[in-house]
Amino acid sequence: MEGAGYRVVFEKGGVYLHTSAKKYQDRDSLIAGVIRVVEKDNDVLLHWAPVEEAGDSTQILFSKKDSSGGDSCASEEEPTFDPGYEPDWAVISTVRPQPRHSEPTRGAEPSCPQGSWAFSVSLGELKSIRRSKPGLSWAYLVLVTQAGGSLPALHFHRGGTRALLRVLSRYLLLASSPQDSRLYLVFPHDSSALSNSFHHLQLFDQDSSNVVSRFLQDPYSTTFSSFSRVTNFFRGALQPQPEGAASDLPPPPDDEPEPGFEVISCVELGPRPTVERGPPVTEEEWARHVGPEGRLQQVPELKNRIFSGGLSPSLRREAWKFLLGYLSWEGTAEEHKAHIRKKTDEYFRMKLQWKSVSPEQERRNSLLHGYRSLIERDVSRTDRTNKFYEGPEKPGLGLLNDILLTYCMYHFDLGYVQGMSDLLSPILYVIQNEVDAFWCFCGFMELVQGNFEESQETMKRQLGRLLLLLRVLDPLLCDFLDSQDSGSLCFCFRWLLIWFKREFPFPDVLRLWEVLWTGLPGPNLHLLVACAILDMERDTLMLSGFGSNEILKHINELTMKLSVEDVLTRAEALHRQLTACPELPHNVQEILGLAPPAEPHSPSPTASPLPLSPTRAPPTPPPSTDTAPQADSSLEILPEEEDEGADS
């Protein structure tokens, strides 16, 4: 279809906007429309317009929406429908209140007609396109612009997503993200700029005219260095450069590299030192640090002893209150008694909030009812082999339930998430007091509450940091895991989520946690604990010919077979080995607390340590081992022709 100054090269009906956040849309929340690709005035536009009941759907205006505020009800807020339904990466479940939004819906806002949802965007303004995952009732696409905003999700009730993507691939280069096969990164179709980047950086001896196509198909064999916009690690499996070759390389470009990325070369680590752990701190040794008024003295020395040897079991009930911030290291005995009285009153006030809710009230409070149901289910299966929790007549189960429900009153925003019962159980077992255990649990949650946030950004960032540490410590192991589609380290998710609670026997978990709570020898020791476990299993993984499924199976079978003292000894040795390296990359120094964090305006340098990745997205492990394996760090170019019937 052609008109004055424009030509429609693609048109597809049955493309709906879902303007409600509900999973099951009602009729009034669906807006039917037509999607078109239009060539107009030396530009190519993607345009969606609703089909008016009494109008001609072909009469559309090919102009961008005025963003200056002319249509306030349409531009004020995008549809709050979450195009992902639930996060693909979600391994933990949450109970969340349904958000209330004021997006324009048909019939609800007479001043905002359906036409206010129409939009038109130049293809040059697109940054990425996300496809729906298989298995949904229909496919959808979400368009993200260079400005960072996303357009309303387009739901293709009659199919057509692949046809649209094929048309877009005539004008754009659509490259599948190595971390998310459903995310297409958008680049200009003319790759001359990328070729020029290779040429100016002189990364290749031969002519760079065909480098781009080969790089997109096989980046590892084409290059092992990087241009400034891409994080890169020298592959440990590649041969090192001959001596003197570095002098032939050009000086770095004058332009300042994009913040948040650091080129990591093969770091030459020195020999790994030998570490010997000490005996546990006894009650007598602890008593020597208590002053006349009950104030602890020489606290740094005491913390160092706890780090190097842990605590004797009889001392934990008192010492954990200090390690978890419930009691102050600087307080006197009288100050501690006053603090405990205050916190006891505060706890029971919060507990009364949910205890006083009647069954009739709870039926109208879906959030509290959801928390209660989830907590009861988790508590019933938490550490039931432990004598403190094994029988129905034991008070431990009831205390677990009450403390977790009270925590929902204490932290309304977070509430309860599966896994929290695993963190509370050892604390309650040691403290054996409801109030003290609650506040110690709150102190622990201050350290790990990011693990349970619904966005899971903290967990993704930790996996990224773990991969960065492992890359520096053992690049060959990283290469092996990459080759077996396990480079995302998703099998370490549970380790980091609940701090190895299910990997060690119960007494060993107590020892591990009290060592980690000291904060010594620096932050993120738990990541080095994970590195230590992988280092201990390195030969088994690499010499047994394991594939991704066998790697996951082997890691799961390590449960209750690890020695906490061996793991802590190795983790401390790894820390000393890294800190002794004079050329340790800055982002690794940040992880170990050896350097201040990056400037606030800079993206996190450890957000995505995967090599040669064109995206900053953190590593996203698959939700299960059944998902199709993804290329480690290569770009998958959208095929020219695909079967339209494959639309889901």
Side-chain angles (χ1 to χ4, degrees):
M1 182 173 67
E2 296 187 10
Y6 71 86
R7 183 170 73 94
V8 177
V9 296
F10 175 84
E11 182 177 284
K12 180 67 178 177
V15 181
Y16 285 70
L17 297 189
H18 293 191
T19 62
S20 170
K22 297 179 180 179
K23 184 173 182 180
Y24 300 101
Q25 305 288 320
D26 54 47
R27 184 174 181 180
D28 290 339
S29 66
L30 301 179
I31 303 179
V34 178
I35 189 72
R36 294 181 174 90
V37 178
V38 182
E39 293 179 351
K40 180 178 183 289
D41 298 334
N42 297 323
D43 196 4
V44 183
L45 306 175
L46 185 66
H47 183 90
W48 181 89
V51 179
E52 300 294 344
E53 294 180 355
D56 182 1
S57 64
T58 63
Q59 302 301 314
I60 59 176
L61 297 176
F62 299 111
S63 60
K64 296 181 181 179
K65 194 178 249 188
D66 182 12
S67 60
S68 62
D71 188 0
S72 61
C73 59
S75 61
E76 180 177 314
E77 187 176 21
E78 296 175 358
T80 56
F81 169 74
D82 179 8
Y85 292 99
E86 67 272 354
D88 292 344
W89 208 73
V91 184
I92 56 178
S93 63
T94 60
V95 178
R96 281 286 172 270
Q98 192 75 338
R100 297 182 180 180
H101 302 282
S102 57
E103 65 267 19
T105 56
R106 187 170 145 193
E109 294 287 341
S111 61
C112 294
Q114 288 188 6
S116 65
W117 290 98
F119 65 85
S120 183
V121 61
S122 171
L123 298 190
E125 297 179 7
L126 294 180
K127 180 180 181 180
S128 63
I129 302 173
R130 176 177 290 278
R131 293 190 65 185
S132 56
K133 61 183 178 182
L136 300 177
S137 54
W138 48 67
Y140 67 82
L141 295 176
V142 179
L143 310 176
V144 179
T145 64
Q146 296 286 351
S150 60
L151 298 172
L154 300 173
H155 295 257
F156 291 72
H157 288 204
R158 304 174 192 168
T161 57
R162 291 183 182 272
L164 175 59
L165 291 174
R166 282 199 299 269
V167 172
L168 295 181
S169 65
R170 301 177 194 171
Y171 307 96
L172 302 168
L173 180 64
L174 303 181
S176 178
S177 165
Q179 280 79 41
D180 187 347
S181 61
R182 299 189 293 113
L183 180 65
Y184 291 105
L185 306 174
V186 177
F187 301 96
H189 208 292
D190 181 7
S191 57
S192 59
L194 190 56
S195 297
N196 290 335
S197 298
F198 283 118
H199 176 71
H200 289 304
L201 290 175
Q202 302 178 28
L203 298 178
F204 305 92
D205 295 330
Q206 64 270 32
D207 180 71
S208 62
S209 59
N210 64 341
V211 162
V212 174
S213 60
R214 290 187 292 108
F215 170 75
L216 294 175
Q217 297 298 329
D218 190 1
Y220 285 166
S221 62
T222 306
T223 179
F224 58 85
S225 61
S226 168
F227 43 90
S228 63
R229 296 191 62 188
V230 179
T231 302
N232 174 49
F233 299 96
F234 284 117
R235 309 298 290 169
L238 298 177
Q239 295 294 329
Q241 293 188 356
E243 185 176 355
S247 61
D248 299 330
L249 292 176
D254 295 333
D255 296 337
E256 182 181 357
E258 186 169 341
F261 289 88
E262 180 173 349
V263 176
I264 306 296
S265 60
C266 290
V267 178
E268 291 293 336
L269 297 177
R272 187 174 301 173
T274 301
V275 173
E276 293 185 5
R277 291 185 53 76
V281 177
T282 63
E283 291 181 285
E284 293 77 13
E285 183 177 356
W286 179 275
R288 290 198 294 269
H289 287 268
V290 179
E293 297 181 344
R295 194 191 311 271
L296 289 171
Q297 301 173 339
Q298 299 175 320
V299 173
E301 178 186 333
L302 182 57
K303 285 185 177 180
N304 270 300
R305 280 288 295 116
I306 298 173
F307 167 74
S308 64
L311 295 162
S312 61
S314 59
L315 184 57
R316 285 180 176 137
R317 183 174 183 180
E318 179 180 0
W320 278 24
K321 298 173 187 178
F322 293 90
L323 289 170
L324 290 169
Y326 177 39
L327 298 181
S328 170
W329 294 95
E330 293 79 22
T332 65
E334 289 301 320
E335 290 171 343
H336 291 158
K337 291 179 182 178
H339 179 74
I340 290 174
R341 286 194 297 269
K342 175 184 175 183
K343 288 298 183 179
T344 299
D345 291 342
E346 187 176 345
Y347 172 78
F348 283 109
R349 281 198 303 270
M350 290 186 293
K351 183 175 181 179
L352 186 62
Q353 291 175 4
W354 64 265
K355 291 284 283 186
S356 60
V357 174
S358 67
E360 290 76 13
Q361 287 178 300
E362 186 171 325
R363 279 197 292 269
R364 294 186 292 271
N365 190 334
S366 59
L367 186 61
L368 178 61
H369 180 73
Y371 285 145
R372 187 190 293 272
S373 300
L374 189 56
I375 289 171
E376 289 177 354
R377 186 174 72 240
D378 287 356
V379 164
S380 67
R381 57 193 183 190
T382 298
D383 290 328
R384 296 307 300 272
T385 58
N386 188 301
K387 291 184 178 180
F388 190 68
Y389 302 109
E390 66 179 358
E393 72 284 354
K394 298 286 185 179
L397 295 180
L399 292 177
L400 275 178
N401 181 87
D402 289 0
I403 292 174
L404 291 172
L405 273 171
T406 306
Y407 185 78
C408 294
M409 302 295 105
Y410 172 78
H411 200 318
F412 284 103
D413 291 337
L414 185 60
Y416 176 79
V417 183
Q418 282 183 311
M420 290 183 181
S421 60
D422 280 291
L423 301 185
L424 173 59
S425 170
I427 294 176
L428 180 59
Y429 169 81
V430 168
I431 302 298
Q432 299 200 3
N433 176 280
E434 180 179 2
V435 175
D436 294 346
F438 171 82
W439 291 113
C440 288
F441 173 68
C442 291
F444 194 7
M445 287 301 300
E446 288 295 318
L447 298 175
V448 299
Q449 69 178 30
N451 294 2
F452 299 94
E453 291 173 352
E454 194 169 12
S455 67
Q456 299 179 11
E457 289 302 318
T458 299
M459 286 300 302
K460 296 175 187 178
R461 183 167 57 252
Q462 288 188 80
L463 284 171
R465 290 174 174 175
L466 173 59
L467 181 55
L468 177 55
L469 290 173
L470 193 63
R471 174 69 61 187
V472 174
L473 288 167
D474 197 339
L476 289 178
L477 177 58
C478 280
D479 290 334
F480 168 76
L481 295 174
D482 287 342
S483 69
Q484 302 303 320
D485 299 312
S486 300
S488 63
L489 303 183
C490 62
F491 50 81
C492 300
F493 182 93
R494 187 178 70 185
W495 294 0
L496 306 183
L497 177 69
I498 53 176
W499 275 29
F500 309 92
K501 165 62 166 54
R502 300 184 185 178
E503 317 312 318
F504 293 94
F506 196 86
D508 284 2
V509 171
L510 309 183
R511 173 61 47 82
L512 173 65
W513 284 5
E514 63 198 17
V515 170
L516 294 177
W517 289 336
T518 64
L520 299 174
N524 297 310
L525 179 63
H526 65 296
L527 299 181
L528 288 175
V529 169
C531 289
I533 297 174
L534 293 175
D535 185 67
M536 295 169 66
E537 299 301 316
R538 179 184 193 274
D539 292 342
T540 302
L541 294 173
M542 297 183 65
L543 301 180
S544 300
F546 285 164
S548 58
N549 290 335
E550 290 80 9
I551 291 173
L552 180 61
K553 181 175 182 291
H554 177 75
I555 294 298
N556 287 336
E557 290 176 348
L558 295 176
T559 300
M560 304 301 163
K561 298 178 182 178
L562 298 169
S563 166
V564 71
E565 291 297 331
D566 291 345
V567 171
L568 285 172
T569 299
R570 191 169 302 229
E572 185 177 355
L574 293 176
H575 185 273
R576 293 186 186 181
Q577 185 181 26
L578 288 170
T579 54
C581 176
E583 300 178 353
L584 198 64
H586 183 78
N587 48 3
V588 179
Q589 294 182 42
E590 290 181 12
I591 296 174
L592 300 178
L594 304 177
E599 293 297 324
H601 65 271
S602 300
S604 172
T606 59
S608 179
L610 291 179
L612 297 174
S613 169
T615 176
R616 294 172 185 254
T620 305
S624 69
T625 57
D626 298 332
T627 54
Q630 302 299 321
D632 170 55
S633 294
S634 60
L635 296 175
E636 175 188 303
I637 304 303
L638 187 69
E640 290 295 330
E641 296 295 334
E642 294 184 67
D643 182 12
E644 177 66 24
D647 267 327
S648 57

